[in-house]
Amino acid sequence: MSSSLGAKLARWATGEFRAFPWKAALVLWLTATLTTPLLVPYILGLLAEAPNAPVLPDGVGWVLAWRLTIRHGAILLIPTFVGLWLARRVGWGAPYLEYALDRGAKPGMGFAGVARRAAIAGVLVSAALFGLDAVFYYGFNVTAPAPEIHARIGVAAWRGGLATLRAAVAEEIFCRLFLQSLFAVVLLGLFRIRHEGRAREALFWLATAGGAFVFAWLHLGAQEVYVGKIPPLVYLRTILLSGTGGIVLGRLYWRSGLEAAILGHAVVGGIIHVLRPLWDVYWLATTAG
């Protein structure tokens, strides 16, 4: 009996090993790791103007880039590979990379269609976030900088653009591919949902909300360097701003794959961290003239 069970487990493990999209996982992990130095100019830009930031010595950028690359590479290793394994349990994943690199199933929608969907979502999310910030700014007099949407901060657009390229990949791997998939697997197991239906979809929404909350919580660190101890309204604003984006990106991941979430994240980041500061510079130049 035990030998038969062992043989079955061995066959299952062998099949899982062969079917796993190793190439897609490796490409995702390497991309997230090797683009880590792109964060450094943005981090240094924040620290240079934030009142509560520590003063860093000259020439620290290279050291910071090296340390962050090693640290983040180690941090993202398990979320990338385990995340893809978990995603396959609920029918999610990175379908376009898996199809291109690991002979996975052909995605139902062409990549151009997914890119268009992600771009539209990114534009709408950006508009919603600017609107939410305006409600807090004009309605509740919350004037503290909001680095999560590049509001009332002076970091250059090129720094934000570089950081966006990296964040779009790494944050989607951790918060969507890993955490959201983990929440979905756990919830489906707890409630013993095996088939498609409203119950399964409801649990998927809960998993999406869980990943979005962690995504929002991770953005509180940038807020702290500006205000120190975060006041309740500023805390709420940060959670709502980043959480709203996280839910939309989570929905993109759930319905269209990790690639769609990464593209949507990149569009939001491009609007917020590149176009917005460029517009601010233009506006100041025209009003001053």
Side-chain angles (χ1 to χ4, degrees):
M1 186 73 152
S2 60
S3 61
S4 175
L5 178 60
K8 289 180 180 180
L9 288 174
R11 286 196 298 270
W12 175 83
T14 301
E16 285 281 305
F17 184 88
R18 290 176 179 174
F20 185 81
W22 294 101
K23 293 178 182 177
L26 183 61
V27 166
L28 286 170
W29 177 71
L30 286 175
T31 302
T33 300
L34 297 180
T35 55
T36 300
L38 297 180
L39 288 174
V40 174
Y42 183 74
I43 293 172
L44 295 179
L46 285 178
L47 296 179
E49 69 164 24
N52 295 300
V55 178
L56 299 179
D58 293 335
V60 75
W62 290 106
V63 176
L64 183 61
W66 174 250
R67 289 181 178 177
L68 285 178
T69 299
I70 295 175
R71 179 183 176 187
H72 287 195
I75 291 173
L76 288 169
L77 182 63
I78 290 177
T80 304
F81 284 82
V82 174
L84 264 180
W85 181 80
L86 290 168
R88 293 165 66 85
R89 310 273 75 76
V90 292
W92 298 346
Y96 298 90
L97 275 176
E98 293 176 39
Y99 174 68
L101 300 176
D102 296 284
R103 299 180 181 180
K106 186 176 181 179
M109 179 183 289
F111 190 72
V114 166
R116 183 166 54 250
R117 176 183 293 179
I120 293 172
V123 172
L124 294 177
V125 166
S126 300
L129 299 189
F130 292 151
L132 275 172
D133 180 60
V135 169
F136 277 88
Y137 186 84
Y138 295 105
F140 300 98
N141 197 34
V142 181
T143 59
E148 62 273 11
I149 60 165
H150 213 105
R152 298 170 294 280
I153 70 173
V155 179
W158 69 269
R159 296 175 183 266
L162 291 179
T164 291
L165 292 175
R166 193 270 178 176
V169 179
E171 291 180 2
E172 293 311 303
I173 287 175
F174 186 77
C175 293
R176 251 59 70 180
L177 182 65
F178 178 59
L179 286 180
Q180 186 173 320
S181 298
L182 174 62
F183 293 151
V185 169
V186 170
L187 287 170
L188 290 176
L190 285 175
F191 290 93
R192 299 182 180 180
I193 303 297
R194 302 274 187 262
H195 306 288
E196 298 290 339
R198 292 183 178 179
R200 185 181 182 91
E201 185 170 350
L203 293 183
F204 281 179
W205 276 115
L206 282 177
T208 301
F213 178 79
V214 176
F215 177 70
W217 179 77
L218 291 174
H219 285 79
L220 290 171
Q223 187 69 71
E224 288 177 343
V225 300
Y226 281 94
V227 299
K229 184 178 180 181
I230 302 176
L233 277 178
V234 176
Y235 185 96
L236 177 62
R237 183 192 64 185
T238 301
I239 294 297
L240 287 178
L241 288 173
S242 297
T244 299
I247 287 175
V248 175
L249 294 173
R251 175 68 172 176
L252 275 175
Y253 165 57
W254 161 17
R255 300 297 297 178
S256 303
L258 181 67
E259 297 90 343
I262 290 173
L263 287 173
H265 193 140
V267 171
V268 174
I271 293 172
I272 286 173
H273 294 297
V274 179
L275 295 183
R276 178 170 188 160
L278 288 176
W279 169 256
D280 289 343
V281 171
Y282 170 77
W283 178 258
L284 287 173
T286 55
T287 53

